[in-house]
């Protein structure tokens, strides 16, 4: 946020991670700052080589696909970031039947717009879907679209915060969810 001569402690920023960039800036600064958004994009690109799949993510996605679950990715990421974010998933990244990203119109999380778009594209009704997210904003946005959700603590969110946002259940990681699959909302 140096581009706007603003500083904020990480304790204010971290709870907003997962929210769309415009929404995040609005919450932190009370206004949009295009210069910050552009600088964030350039800064994020520097870290592309360091992006890794979450532990257990590839196995979880593979198991869901083998179980006949249609996978849809709903992300606030920009279109240009998607290849770099998906690359660590390897061939498993190709299992997503639909991908809805943050530049496709509508409002970003915590608004439900991206989830509404995912429902429209997939042809599913909200009660046929379970979202999995690791930020309060994933859980809030999916809930506003009428979609039940599972919380993962991989985003550093407290289990209580994910439950307060509306998660049906919370798991420590992708591997933990896979381990508890049979007793989870995915079953």
């Amino acid at each position: 946020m140096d581009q706007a001569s603003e500083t904020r402690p990480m304790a204010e920023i971290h709870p907003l991670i997962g929210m769309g960039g415009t929404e995040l800036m609005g919450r932190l600064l009370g206004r949009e700052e295009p210069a910050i958004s552009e600088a964030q994009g350039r800064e994020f690109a520097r870290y592309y080589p360091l992006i890794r799949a979450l532990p257990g993510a590839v196995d979880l996605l593979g198991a869901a696909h083998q179980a006949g679950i249609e996978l849809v990715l709903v992300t606030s990421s920009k279109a240009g970031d998607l290849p770099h974010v998906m690359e660590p998933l390897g061939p498993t990244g190709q299992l997503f039947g639909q991908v809805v990203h943050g530049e496709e119109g509508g409002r970003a999380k915590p608004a439900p717009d991206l989830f509404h778009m995912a429902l429209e594209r997939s042809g599913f009704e909200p009660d046929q879907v379970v979202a999995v997210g690791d930020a309060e904003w994933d859980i809030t946005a999916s809930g506003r679209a009428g979609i039940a959700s599972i919380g993962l603590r991989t985003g550093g969110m407290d289990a209580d915060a994910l439950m307060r946002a509306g998660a049906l259940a919370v798991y420590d990681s992708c591997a933990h969810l896979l381990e508890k699959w049979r007793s989870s909302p995915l079953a």
Side-chain angles (χ1 to χ4, degrees):
M1 294 196 324
D2 291 341
Q3 293 78 7
S5 299
E6 298 275 355
T7 58
R8 292 291 187 278
M10 191 61 192
E12 284 184 36
I13 297 169
H14 185 262
L16 304 178
I17 300 299
M19 183 181 281
T22 301
E23 290 76 6
L24 189 144
M25 286 299 122
R27 292 269 181 108
L28 281 177
L29 304 177
R31 65 189 185 281
E32 289 184 37
E33 284 290 342
I36 293 176
S37 294
E38 291 169 18
Q40 184 275 337
R42 289 189 303 274
E43 190 66 21
F44 185 63
R46 292 181 42 213
Y47 292 94
Y48 288 158
L50 302 177
I51 297 173
R52 302 289 181 264
L54 291 171
V58 170
D59 293 336
L60 178 62
L61 292 169
H65 179 72
Q66 283 188 333
I69 295 173
E70 183 175 331
L71 300 172
V72 176
L73 177 64
V74 177
T75 178
S76 296
S77 294
K78 296 176 182 175
D81 293 332
L82 283 175
H84 306 283
V85 172
M86 300 290 285
E87 183 179 353
L89 295 174
T92 306
Q94 302 300 316
L95 298 178
F96 290 101
Q98 301 288 331
V99 176
V100 177
H101 62 77
E103 292 179 317
E104 294 205 66
R107 298 165 296 160
K109 300 171 197 169
D113 300 16
L114 299 176
F115 283 96
H116 285 303
M117 190 176 294
L119 289 169
E120 184 179 313
R121 286 187 188 171
S122 68
F124 287 105
E125 294 297 322
D127 64 352
Q128 297 174 301
V129 177
V130 175
V132 178
D134 68 355
E136 175 183 345
W137 313 112
D138 299 323
I139 307 305
T140 300
S142 62
R144 288 177 177 169
I147 298 170
S149 61
I150 294 171
L152 296 177
R153 296 195 57 243
T154 53
M157 297 296 300
D158 177 274
D160 290 337
L162 293 168
M163 293 298 286
R164 280 192 306 273
L168 294 175
V170 176
Y171 300 89
D172 291 334
S173 64
C174 296
H176 185 220
L177 174 53
L178 183 56
E179 175 188 323
K180 300 294 185 180
W181 178 288
R182 291 198 171 139
S183 63
S184 80
L186 291 178

